[in-house]
Amino acid sequence: MATHPTAGSSGPASEPDPAPPPRPAPAPGEHAAHDPSSEPPAGPALCLVTGAGGYIGGRLVPELLGAGHRVRCLARTPSHLRDHPWADRVDVVRGDVTDADSLRPAFRDVEVAYYLVHSMGSGHGFEETDRIAARTFAREARAAGVRRIVYLGGLTPAGVPEQELSPHLRSRAEVGRILLDSGVPTTVLRAAVVIGSGSASFEMLRYLTERLPVMVTPSWVGTRVQPIAVRDVLRYLVGSAAMPPDVNRTFDIGGPDVLTYREMMIRYADVAGLPRRLIVSVPMLTPRLSSQWIGLVTPVPAALARPLAESLRYEVVCAEHDIAEHVPDPPGTPVPFDQALALALQRVREAGVATRWSSASLPGAPSDPLPTDPDWAGGSLYSDDRERTVEAGPQELWQVIEGIGGENGWYSFPLAWAVRGWSDRLVGGVGLRRGRRDAQRLRVGDALDFWRVEEIERGSLLRLRAEMRLPGLAWLEMRVERDGTGRTRYRQRALFHPRGLAGQLYWWSVAPFHAVVFGGMARNIARTAEKAAANRPATTPRA
């Protein structure tokens, strides 16, 4: 749902500033004077959206624009937002929620700030990172005079002491408290399972149900949850911008159905037209084992599956629906569970998924850009270079390149790629099964199996950065060029920057296989483009 904040230069964590004192109540027998602070603001606002490259943030931006608001996006790598269809309608600033210096210009003239970043619940110290980020954001928002913060958190179970919650849920709750105590009126929306095309919860439900007609499942399949359609989440987020200044509280948000996870799988099978599933639950599957099981069956890696599985151990049902007082429900909303499933499946089948859970980088994934200085002194940079003349036009070759990965595969030794994907999953990596957001078109920042799109020059260059677990950094470049005679040339470059002795050993251990993997890849990409050109219908001359 969100991006992963990185350590910045904010310095040591500090306590949030105290909230402003409450206004005195009128004396008995007196009427309270008109208080403009209790009225909702009028007109569009300048909204700052953090996590705009993530699942929710990437969908919230066009909704805010559609509601008439102006939008500024905070991004650690602004270029990752440039290919979004709304990119030319927003102001993008470079910054990080843990870096106060970068937040100050981002907050200039901002009225509503959306906090949609948090760690994914894995790795050492993620709770402290979340804490520092929230305190820094809250402090700078108050100093800038922001009139409202809106935060999307997780629904916590009633009656369970916070110290017994999973670290993931506990951190979400703490972030909400920090923002509420900031002195800036804050709306904290708490949701359980979000159902929408591309959401991690939907992908987990989809793949578990579709791939396993008979399932041995953890005991949490009997736990009741209250799922919510992503379009309702977005509606509440947009509507929260207009809440009056005296509103500073949490709101539970959910759909109209309260279901066990077992019932959700059964109803998914029914909506998707699948035979009824046989589900047998066993008590010995811990959250850790459950996350490994989810990672084995679904594209969701264990690092992300674990916080999802941990949150499903508890009953998470809305205790109130007070949000409707400020964001009224139109007819037909909140969206029922079966309808939310049908809408998500329609998007998947029509290849119309706007954002996916993989839109946000996972914690620990490498993010260093390719060093482009020819005299780069950062250490060894190994390269495997391939070139081929292609008997096809540049357009046919580019279509093959941009369509690589996912269902189309990698035009190389399939077993070698499959083994590399499985080995990556075994050590906690993302593996090959993230697939693609769109079957034909890529954009900067898209996840592509165990790569991420780092750069696109449409029609000429695709650069991918590896996100598998490696003792170093790796990139794969594919270029379309013309030679001196006007013929199409395909250039391919695999690069690796090793980290220490382990990185050196890794490169030289796999180098003997490059002729098969990368050589075969270049050869098959060229052949596929040539075949497409040969099958292209001949144009009929005009009379």
Side-chain angles (χ1 to χ4, degrees):
M1 280 167 58
T3 54
H4 171 63
T6 56
S9 56
S10 59
S14 60
E15 292 298 324
D17 295 328
R23 293 180 176 82
E30 293 181 356
H31 294 289
H34 174 67
D35 182 5
S37 70
S38 65
E39 296 180 352
L46 174 58
C47 301
L48 177 68
V49 177
T50 63
Y55 177 72
I56 292 292
R59 298 186 181 215
L60 175 62
V61 170
E63 295 293 326
L64 289 170
L65 292 170
H69 298 294
R70 292 174 295 135
V71 176
R72 179 179 296 155
C73 298
L74 181 76
R76 287 175 294 164
T77 309
S79 63
H80 285 184
L81 302 182
R82 75 174 194 215
D83 291 334
H84 286 264
W86 39 259
D88 61 347
R89 302 169 59 198
V90 303
D91 176 27
V92 181
V93 297
R94 185 186 303 275
D96 189 292
V97 289
T98 61
D99 182 357
D101 290 338
S102 69
L103 285 176
R104 286 167 195 143
F107 273 129
R108 189 173 296 120
D109 300 324
V110 165
E111 298 168 77
V112 181
Y114 286 89
Y115 192 80
L116 302 176
V117 296
H118 49 80
S119 302
M120 307 303 287
S122 63
H124 298 294
F126 82 90
E127 290 182 89
E128 179 63 15
T129 303
D130 277 349
R131 188 176 301 120
I132 292 172
R135 287 174 173 168
T136 305
F137 188 87
R139 184 174 60 249
E140 296 305 320
R142 182 176 181 184
V146 172
R147 66 169 170 80
R148 176 156 302 278
I149 296 173
V150 183
Y151 169 59
L152 179 62
L155 188 59
T156 54
V160 178
E162 190 168 301
Q163 62 270 21
E164 295 181 14
L165 296 176
S166 69
H168 170 72
L169 284 177
R170 190 168 59 237
S171 182
R172 293 279 194 96
E174 182 184 19
V175 166
R177 284 199 309 277
I178 291 171
L179 298 177
L180 286 167
D181 292 341
S182 66
V184 178
T186 297
T187 302
V188 175
L189 303 177
R190 307 194 310 166
V193 174
V194 177
I195 300 297
S197 60
S199 76
S201 297
F202 173 74
E203 294 282 279
M204 192 171 96
L205 175 67
R206 173 190 171 200
Y207 280 91
L208 287 176
T209 309
E210 290 186 354
R211 291 183 172 176
L212 298 176
V214 178
M215 284 177 268
V216 177
T217 61
S219 58
W220 49 251
V221 297
T223 303
R224 295 198 317 156
V225 296
Q226 191 164 352
I228 181 171
V230 67
R231 61 176 55 192
D232 280 325
V233 174
L234 296 171
R235 180 169 59 84
Y236 292 137
L237 284 168
V238 173
S240 295
M243 285 188 179
D246 60 349
V247 175
N248 186 64
R249 56 163 290 185
T250 65
F251 293 92
D252 295 351
I253 58 173
D257 302 286
V258 177
L259 306 163
T260 66
Y261 205 85
R262 180 197 304 270
E263 291 169 332
M264 289 167 62
M265 288 191 286
I266 290 172
R267 288 171 72 161
Y268 177 92
D270 184 56
V271 171
L274 302 172
R276 187 177 180 86
R277 271 33 190 164
L278 177 61
I279 303 168
V280 180
S281 62
V282 292
M284 70 280 299
L285 286 177
T286 64
R288 185 174 185 277
L289 290 175
S290 295
S291 64
Q292 297 296 333
W293 172 67
I294 293 167
L296 182 67
V297 177
T298 80
V300 181
L304 180 55
R306 181 159 187 174
L308 294 175
E310 286 176 332
S311 65
L312 291 169
R313 292 166 57 196
Y314 310 103
E315 181 174 288
V316 278
V317 177
C318 297
E320 41 82 12
H321 188 54
D322 296 349
I323 186 70
E325 298 174 13
H326 302 283
V327 187
D329 294 323
T333 58
V335 177
F337 178 72
D338 288 1
Q339 184 182 350
L341 288 179
L343 290 168
L345 282 170
Q346 181 181 354
R347 290 286 189 188
V348 170
R349 290 165 181 165
E350 294 176 351
V353 180
T355 59
R356 297 182 68 221
W357 60 270
S358 56
S359 298
S361 298
L362 288 174
S367 58
D368 295 35
L370 175 66
T372 54
D373 183 354
D375 298 320
W376 181 63
S380 302
L381 187 63
Y382 295 120
S383 176
D384 179 274
D385 295 84
R386 310 277 167 173
E387 287 191 27
R388 293 187 71 88
T389 299
V390 184
E391 299 299 330
Q395 184 60 32
E396 283 90 2
L397 179 56
W398 176 254
Q399 286 177 350
V400 177
I401 292 172
E402 192 172 9
I404 202 166
E407 295 297 323
N408 293 328
W410 290 88
Y411 298 97
S412 184
F413 189 33
L415 180 60
W417 286 87
V419 169
R420 188 65 188 86
W422 279 107
S423 63
D424 191 54
R425 299 283 281 199
L426 288 174
V427 295
V430 295
L432 272 177
R433 290 195 310 232
R434 288 192 301 185
R436 303 171 51 109
R437 178 192 56 84
D438 185 290
Q440 280 83 39
R441 192 170 177 85
L442 293 173
R443 64 191 184 199
V444 171
D446 270 0
L448 180 59
D449 293 329
F450 50 42
W451 306 89
R452 189 169 295 275
V453 179
E454 181 175 279
E455 183 59 80
I456 296 179
E457 295 175 11
R458 197 74 59 188
S460 63
L461 168 68
L462 174 63
R463 181 186 300 138
L464 308 176
R465 186 185 68 246
E467 290 193 329
M468 73 280 277
R469 298 294 177 93
L470 289 170
L473 302 173
W475 299 266
L476 178 62
E477 280 190 347
M478 290 164 275
R479 291 181 181 270
V480 179
E481 298 177 349
R482 285 191 183 273
D483 63 18
T485 64
R487 301 174 72 187
T488 304
R489 294 286 291 174
Y490 172 61
R491 289 183 57 200
Q492 176 182 294
R493 201 166 57 134
L495 299 110
F496 182 66
H497 170 42
R499 185 184 304 116
L501 178 60
Q504 300 281 347
L505 293 174
Y506 173 81
W507 173 260
W508 293 113
S509 67
V510 300
F513 303 100
H514 286 174
V516 174
V517 176
F518 293 125
M521 182 179 184
R523 183 171 56 252
N524 292 328
I525 284 176
R527 287 176 177 172
T528 303
E530 290 169 347
K531 185 177 179 180
N535 293 335
R536 182 180 56 197
T539 57
T540 303
R542 293 185 180 180

